[in-house]
Amino acid sequence: MKTVPKPVSKAIPAIFQPNFPFSPAKFPIFYGWAILVASILGVLTSIPGQTIGVSVFTDHLIAATGLSRLQLANAYLVGTLTSGCLLPFGGKLLDRLGARQIVVLAAVGLGITLCYLAGCDRLSRFLSQLLPFGAKPIAAVLLVLGFVSLRFCGQGMLTMTSRTTLGKWFERRRGQVSGLEGIFVAFGFAIAPYWLSKVIAAVGWRGTWLILAATIGLGMSSVGWLLFRDNPEECNLSMDGASASGIDSAINHPVDNQINDQTNDQRQQPAEPLWGLTRRQAMGTVIFWAATLAFAAQALSVTGITFHIVSIGAESGLAEPDIVKIFVPKAVFSTAVGFVIGLLCDRIRLQFIFMFMMVFQAMGIAAMANLAIPGMFALAVVGLGVSMGCFATLTTVVLPRFFGRAHLGAISGVQMMMIVIGSSIGPSLLANFEAVTGSYVGGLYTCCLFAPIVIFLMTFAKAPAARKPDSV
């Protein structure tokens, strides 16, 4: 087992040193709560890089570039797949540079990307005058490049860094704070399409992307630099603001139900360096692949359903205003369940929660395949809402719980790669089933097959035994 070097390094630029411009150890409350706020903001500002944020701009891009819906979808698919393949390298970079530098780079990168996408159609027409190609194929290539950066910086690095960092600051309260984060994130994602459409109506799609670019590129990067710190040890603090003894042990049993209030011990020096399995060791465990498959299946199914929601509703005789109503109650269920699951994560084995998630995931997807039957709409709301609430919380909790924190970025990079790839496959999978069979039903039932596989794996999966770093 390898240990990591001291987190605070002279190689880190002065402006990124943990105690600049203030010392987190002198914060009036445990600094992990500031990390929670920063993490929430980081995930929310990733919305323009998420499918739910991109979908609002789809018709405007089609009109501006002249591409067909299928051509645009293919550009999005290629861009998303490419960005997913880059995330393992991004995860290793997160371990090397730390959360504070990465979140600044990701926010600035996302802001620049939004500026680029706001003018990509004009750039394609300009380049078509210089190159022996038409504006449409050039626009397709430019959009692929834009989508690679958009998905890598937004859905990938900004989201991964925010959730990974939160997991490093809490152990006994990890589920609780993940549930709290889920409340704000679920609400933000639920209202994002409505809010973005209102801004587009007011200032246009270009203006909306430019406003988001300034908000994220300047605003989130500044907030990230000010608030983010990679881990409590580099700030001479301990997880949960309590004693550092037994920090970061791998847990595969119910967590102590008695959660102590914050004490003055938060300023004490950590008793030992960070520990954790390497990426290779984590990838050699069944629990890693079972959890990753569960997350990827959720991303694949939900993204596919969201992308084709109007068409799926029409197949069952539901008009667009009726089918899109599903998002609001689903967000309510997701928010409530996410908080409750967060509390349960601190008390019971995560394997049981994964099984619970997959049962409701399959139930929700199967209901979507039968919306014409009375009662199925409500069942879809419950199933998809519950599984999404579990997903939002477990993505923060599972990796530090099972694999420690020393190499958390590298491990998260592989898992996030699979999630992003899953989200790119979902729309194409359902579209191909509809094209071949004339219905989405076969594709939706195919998505249900992931549930028994994950449940079977979770039945036999065991968390790695607690291990301490080797002496150096």
Side-chain angles (χ1 to χ4, degrees):
M1 178 71 62
K2 297 180 180 179
T3 59
V4 295
K6 291 183 178 180
V8 181
S9 170
K10 294 182 179 179
I12 299 177
I15 62 170
F16 289 106
Q17 291 290 337
N19 291 328
F20 183 85
F22 62 86
S23 172
K26 297 180 180 179
F27 213 61
I29 61 174
F30 174 51
Y31 194 73
W33 299 112
I35 294 295
L36 172 60
V37 173
S39 178
I40 292 171
L41 293 174
V43 177
L44 289 177
T45 52
S46 76
I47 287 176
Q50 307 278 356
T51 299
I52 198 169
V54 176
S55 62
V56 183
F57 295 87
T58 299
D59 290 337
H60 300 285
L61 284 175
I62 291 173
T65 61
L67 297 175
S68 68
R69 190 172 298 274
L70 179 59
Q71 289 171 330
L72 182 65
N74 288 336
Y76 189 67
L77 171 65
V78 174
T80 301
L81 283 173
T82 305
S83 71
C85 293
L86 295 174
L87 285 173
F89 303 100
K92 294 186 71 173
L93 197 63
L94 174 58
D95 284 333
R96 181 177 302 174
L97 298 182
R100 198 178 184 191
Q101 295 187 67
I102 290 297
V103 79
V104 170
L105 292 173
V108 171
L110 183 55
I112 293 173
T113 302
L114 292 171
C115 291
Y116 166 82
L117 287 173
C120 63
D121 60 314
R122 294 171 176 171
L123 180 59
S124 67
R125 289 193 290 271
F126 172 75
L127 292 177
S128 67
Q129 299 175 0
L130 305 177
L131 301 173
F133 303 103
K136 288 185 180 181
I138 294 176
V141 173
L142 294 178
L143 282 174
V144 167
L145 296 176
F147 288 146
V148 170
S149 181
L150 185 75
R151 302 289 273 168
F152 179 77
C153 294
Q155 185 191 26
M157 295 305 296
L158 193 53
T159 303
M160 180 173 68
T161 302
S162 299
R163 286 178 169 162
T164 298
T165 305
L166 182 62
K168 291 182 178 181
W169 278 81
F170 294 90
E171 182 178 34
R172 295 191 309 275
R173 298 175 186 249
R174 191 176 285 143
Q176 178 187 359
V177 296
S178 299
L180 288 171
E181 181 181 55
I183 293 174
F184 294 95
V185 170
F187 178 77
F189 274 61
I191 67 171
Y194 175 80
W195 179 81
L196 289 173
S197 65
K198 288 295 185 181
V199 179
I200 290 173
V203 301
W205 67 276
R206 296 183 203 276
T208 302
W209 259 341
L210 292 175
I211 290 173
L212 291 171
T215 302
I216 299 169
L218 298 176
M220 184 58 213
S221 63
S222 299
V223 171
W225 170 79
L226 183 66
L227 295 182
F228 267 85
R229 300 296 189 274
D230 190 70
N231 59 75
E233 286 79 6
E234 71 174 11
C235 304
N236 292 329
L237 297 172
S238 304
M239 286 193 296
D240 297 299
S243 172
S245 60
I247 284 179
D248 208 22
S249 60
I251 300 175
N252 191 35
H253 53 78
V255 182
D256 184 1
N257 290 338
Q258 299 298 323
I259 299 177
N260 296 325
D261 292 333
Q262 178 197 348
T263 68
N264 293 330
D265 292 337
Q266 66 167 308
R267 292 180 174 82
Q268 71 178 54
Q269 295 286 341
E272 56 189 35
L274 301 181
W275 80 274
L277 274 66
T278 64
R279 183 169 70 181
R280 181 184 296 273
Q281 291 170 331
M283 291 176 65
T285 64
V286 175
I287 190 66
F288 172 82
W289 291 109
T292 300
L293 179 60
F295 293 149
Q298 178 75 10
L300 183 152
S301 305
V302 172
T303 303
I305 290 171
T306 302
F307 198 87
H308 298 291
I309 188 66
V310 175
S311 185
I312 292 173
E315 186 177 304
S316 298
L318 295 175
E320 180 176 349
D322 296 323
I323 188 61
V324 297
K325 290 178 181 178
I326 196 172
F327 291 111
V328 175
K330 183 167 74 75
V332 172
F333 267 94
S334 175
T335 301
V337 170
F339 180 71
V340 174
I341 291 297
L343 298 178
L344 291 177
C345 283
D346 294 329
R347 291 163 170 81
I348 67 175
R349 293 179 61 184
L350 297 187
Q351 288 92 327
F352 297 145
I353 300 178
F354 272 106
M355 294 177 189
F356 176 80
M357 167 185 165
M358 298 310 294
V359 168
F360 277 86
Q361 181 189 113
M363 182 178 74
I365 297 170
M368 290 296 299
N370 297 278
L371 288 176
I373 300 175
M376 287 296 117
F377 188 92
L379 195 62
V381 168
V382 174
L384 295 178
V386 170
S387 64
M388 196 65 208
C390 296
F391 173 89
T393 299
L394 288 171
T395 49
T396 299
V397 174
V398 64
L399 293 184
R401 168 78 67 87
F402 289 145
F403 307 115
R405 298 177 296 147
H407 307 282
L408 194 54
I411 300 170
S412 297
V414 174
Q415 187 171 88
M416 184 60 74
M417 175 187 71
M418 301 303 294
I419 293 173
V420 171
I421 290 176
S423 70
S424 71
I425 294 174
S428 178
L429 174 68
L430 295 186
N432 277 283
F433 265 96
E434 196 279 334
V436 173
T437 67
S439 173
Y440 291 102
V441 172
L444 291 169
Y445 280 135
T446 299
C447 293
C448 293
L449 297 178
F450 289 107
I453 297 174
V454 172
I455 291 173
F456 174 80
L457 293 175
M458 285 294 175
T459 302
F460 300 99
K462 295 182 179 180
R467 301 176 68 179
K468 300 297 181 183
D470 299 331
S471 300
V472 292

